[in-house]
Every structure is written in C-alpha cells, then in structure tokens.
C-alpha cells in the first residue's frame, strides 16, 4: 500500500510540473487573465547594463547591435564592466568608445564574478529603467521601444524579453532543436503567468526593471535574474513577458555544456529562492503557486523519477506479485530504451526530433538533480568555465 501511494505521488508530481501546471495556466489565463496599460509613444530613459569576461569572439557583434537600437540616443546610456578580462575584450570596448558617445566602460583589473560587476554598474546608472543583457546575444533594434511601452502602467516593475536561438548545423550543437521546443513551451507559460500575475521565468540576457526597485545583489552563488525578478514581485509589482521584444543567440553549446548550465541554474536557483521565504508561503497567492510549480517541483522531479525507478526495481527483484510491478518496469524499460537510442543518434549526429527530445529531457532532469545536490552540499562554485561562443548569426 505504501509503495503504490508513493508511486502515485511521484508520478503525480512529475505530471503536474511538466504537463498539468502549464495546462492549468493556459486555461486559467484565458478565463481570468487581465492585461495592463501600454503606450507606444512613451520614451523613458534606459541604462543598458552589460558585464563581460573574455568575450572577444562575440562582443563586437553585441555592441554593434546595441549601437543600432532604434531609440533616442539621449535617452540611452550603455555601461559595460569588464571583469578582469585577459583577451581582447578591453581593446574592443575602447574601440567602440570612440564611436559610441553614450558608452561608459569600466575595465576592472581583478576578476570578481558577474554579481559585483553588475552591482558596480547599477550604482553608476542614472536612467529611469535598467536593461540587462549579455555579450552573447544580439538585441533587436526595436527591443527598447517594446520594453518601454509597458512602463506606462505603474503596477509593472519589470519586463522579461524573448530569446530566439539559431544554430549553424546539427553537428555543432545537438541540443538546439530540443532547446527551441522547450523555450516555445516556456514562452507560452511565461505569458500566461504574466496575465495572471507575474512571470517567474526570466531569460538573463534580456530583461528590464525600474531603477527605483533595484536592490543590490548578494555576492554569493545565486541566479541574479531570478533574484531581481523576485525582488520586483515581493515589492508588489508585476513582472510581465513581451514576446515581440527579441534577442538572438547563435546556439553553440554541446550537450555537455547544456548539462552543466542547467545543473548550475538549478543549484543557484534553489539558493535564490531561499532569499524569498515569504513568496514561497501559500499566503503570497499566485507567486507561491508559480514558484513551487514552475521552479521547485521541476528541480525536485529528478528525485521523484529516482524513487519510481528504485521502488519498481526493488519490487521486481523481490518477486513482488503486485499487479503494478510488471507494467511499471516495462514502461521504465521503454523509456530507458528511448533515451539510449536518442543518445546514440545524437552521438552519430543523426538526431530525430522526438527521440532527441526524450534524451534531452532525461539529461535535463539528471542535471537538475545534480544541481540540487550541489546546493545541498555547498559545491557550487562562484566562477565557472564559459560555454562555447559562436560569433556569427544567421539572417
């Protein structure tokens, strides 16, 4: 009896986190969602915040895109901090300072990590809005305009932008198709959450907030964009999603890179949520539901998978005659076979979409589980090896 209750609970957790919760949000936002005031004519001032470290391969493209943004120049300042870069990053910054009058560069001598650099840059910002981006993304010329329109509504504290992924070829980056599919589902969920209250899914290279709501980031291994978004929500303001405000990234990460990135995100994400116990309490309403459903339960799902597999294998080895044992073991065997086939196809550079998604989903859950364990055992490092950068974009 205990076994079957545990199986139902674990399977229910997984199904809820990945299937039922997005469906509930879709249904509920269609019934009860509400919009916010927008104005296409307002032009608040922006401080673009960019922390970089050894980004010579992509920085030029990033700055060229920023220089091409269709927004009044007098209403934009660009603050770039180089975190002890040892390549040509600082040279490229100095080169652009000659052609971009609103560019301020801060070449810090010693590497401290992204968070201290961001804190220093924000302390120097003078604009109404802070716009955060990364060196490996290329901003759309209309992105600031599409962020600005939302700040006509005083109830809004921040706007999360969209990310479009492109790949050179399947050999270069095996997980691209799965990431694109996952992000399309995520973007729909972010919009539904925003229409009900606030999105808790933020792409760290493309979002903006009101300067007056900024709080200095703690210098510890946290997910900075999630921390900033939750500060906005805790202050009683909304964090909304704007799908037409886009940034492009040439996706060059391997499965190993993506695995490490997701493990890091889970470890830092759990650490971030512990700074916001009030939002995790059911008394907070929508924020609590969204954080538990969209974040925590997904990071805990790997352990539910592990319990399911462990119970079924133990029961099969004991010769348990219960009716659920053989069907569960059979389903798990089929799932494992699909993962292995997906792995082999990816290794041979002949991925098939469905099998690649299955393999990617399994790998993602292992990464999430590893990330949670890193958090528990305090193994998350303040710095990490940078993922592969790809410097050119498709049309």
């Amino acid at each position: 009896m205990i076994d079957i209750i545990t199986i139902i609970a674990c399977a229910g957790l997984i199904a809820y986190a990945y299937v039922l919760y997005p469906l509930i949000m879709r249904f509920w936002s269609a019934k009860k969602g509400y919009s916010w005031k927008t104005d296409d004519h307002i032009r608040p001032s922006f401080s673009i915040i960019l922390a970089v470290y050894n980004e010579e391969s992509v920085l030029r493209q990033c700055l060229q895109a920023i220089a091409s943004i269709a927004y009044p120049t007098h209403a934009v300042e660009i603050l770039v901090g180089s975190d002890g870069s040892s390549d040509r990053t600082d040279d490229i910054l100095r080169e652009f300072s000659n052609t971009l009058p609103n560019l301020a560069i801060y070449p810090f001598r010693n590497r401290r990590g992204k968070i201290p650099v961001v804190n220093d840059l924000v302390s120097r910002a003078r604009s109404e809005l802070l716009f955060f981006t990364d060196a490996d993304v290329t901003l759309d010329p209309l992105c600031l305009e599409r962020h600005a329109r939302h700040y006509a509504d005083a109830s809004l504290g921040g706007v999360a932008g969209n990310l479009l992924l492109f790949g050179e070829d399947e050999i270069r980056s095996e997980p691209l198709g799965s990431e694109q599919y996952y992000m399309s589902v995520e973007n729909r969920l972010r919009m539904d959450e925003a229409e009900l209250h606030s999105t808790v899914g933020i792409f760290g290279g493309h979002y903006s907030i009101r300067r007056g709501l900024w709080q200095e980031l703690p210098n510890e291994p946290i997910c900075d964009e999630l921390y900033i978004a939750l500060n906005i929500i805790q202050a009683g303001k909304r964090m909304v999603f704007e799908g037409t405000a886009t940034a492009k990234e040439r996706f060059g990460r391997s499965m190993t890179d993506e695995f490490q990135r997701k493990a890091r995100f889970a470890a830092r994400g759990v650490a971030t949520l512990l700074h916001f116990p009030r939002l995790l309490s059911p008394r907070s309403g929508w924020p609590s539901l969204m954080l538990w459903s969209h974040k925590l339960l997904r990071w805990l799902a790997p352990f539910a998978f592990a319990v399911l597999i462990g119970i079924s294998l133990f029961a099969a080895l004991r010769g348990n005659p219960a009716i659920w044992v053989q069907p569960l073991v059979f389903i798990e065997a089929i799932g494992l076979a699909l993962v292995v086939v997906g792995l082999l196809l990816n290794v041979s550079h002949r991925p098939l979409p469905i099998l690649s998604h299955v393999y990617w989903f399994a790998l993602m859950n292992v990464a999430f589980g590893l990330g949670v364990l890193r958090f528990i055992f305090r193994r998350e490092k303040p710095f990490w090896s940078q993922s592969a950068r790809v410097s050119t974009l498709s049309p």
Side-chain angles (χ1 to χ4, degrees), residues 116-390:
V117 174
V118 170
N119 283 333
D120 284 351
L121 295 178
V122 171
S123 70
R124 294 168 166 84
R126 303 185 303 273
S127 303
E128 302 166 70
L129 305 174
L130 302 174
F131 185 98
F132 299 89
T133 189
D134 288 335
D136 61 335
V137 302
T138 304
L139 297 173
D140 183 89
L142 297 178
C143 63
L144 292 189
E145 181 180 306
R146 288 169 176 167
H147 277 252
R149 63 194 297 268
H150 296 283
Y151 289 99
D153 193 323
S155 72
L156 266 63
V159 178
N162 194 3
L163 173 67
L164 304 178
L165 298 177
F166 294 88
E168 183 173 349
D169 52 50
E170 294 296 332
I171 297 176
R172 184 80 178 256
S173 183
E174 298 91 344
L176 173 62
S178 298
E179 274 292 310
Q180 288 175 324
Y181 175 75
Y182 179 73
M183 289 189 64
S184 69
V185 175
E186 276 289 287
N187 286 344
R188 180 67 262 178
L189 179 55
R190 292 171 184 181
M191 178 57 74
D192 292 337
E193 289 176 336
E195 290 178 355
L196 288 167
H197 186 279
S198 298
T199 183
V200 294
I202 310 295
F203 165 53
H206 185 194
Y207 66 100
S208 63
I209 69 168
R210 295 186 188 274
R211 175 69 175 84
L213 294 174
W214 166 262
Q215 291 190 23
E216 186 171 283
L217 298 167
N219 189 15
E220 55 187 78
I222 60 167
C223 183
D224 54 289
E225 67 269 20
L226 180 60
Y227 186 96
I228 291 170
L230 295 185
N231 263 326
I232 299 295
I233 297 171
Q234 188 160 261
K237 301 294 184 178
R238 296 176 71 182
M239 192 83 192
V240 300
F241 176 72
E242 174 53 77
T244 66
T246 60
K248 298 178 182 178
E249 178 187 343
R250 171 71 79 157
F251 193 92
R253 294 189 291 271
S254 66
M255 278 292 189
T256 302
D257 293 330
E258 193 60 25
F259 180 89
Q260 292 297 335
R261 190 181 73 89
K262 292 188 183 302
R264 182 170 64 249
F265 180 76
R268 291 172 177 250
V270 175
T272 302
L273 292 186
L274 293 186
H275 286 272
F276 299 92
R278 186 161 65 85
L279 292 183
L280 290 173
S281 168
R283 294 183 179 180
S284 72
W286 282 117
S288 174
L289 174 67
M290 293 172 180
L291 286 175
W292 278 96
S293 304
H294 195 161
K295 298 297 182 183
L296 271 174
L297 291 186
R298 290 190 183 185
W299 296 332
L300 295 176
F303 302 99
F305 276 116
V307 170
L308 277 176
I309 294 171
I311 287 178
S312 59
L313 288 180
F314 184 67
L317 292 173
R318 284 190 311 170
N320 191 324
I323 194 172
W324 55 265
V325 175
Q326 289 188 353
L328 185 57
V329 171
F330 178 76
I331 292 171
E332 290 170 354
I334 293 295
L336 178 60
L338 293 176
V339 171
V340 171
V341 173
L343 166 62
L344 294 175
L345 289 173
N346 274 274
V347 169
S348 63
H349 307 304
R350 296 176 181 175
L352 293 176
I354 295 178
L355 294 176
S356 292
H357 294 346
V358 172
Y359 167 54
W360 176 90
F361 180 77
L363 203 67
M364 180 181 71
N365 273 275
V366 174
F368 284 168
L370 176 62
V372 173
L373 293 176
R374 279 188 192 172
F375 166 77
I376 292 172
F377 294 104
R378 307 298 182 190
R379 294 297 178 90
E380 184 60 15
K381 300 176 182 179
F383 305 125
W384 60 88
S385 298
Q386 188 167 272
S387 299
R389 302 299 203 197
V390 184

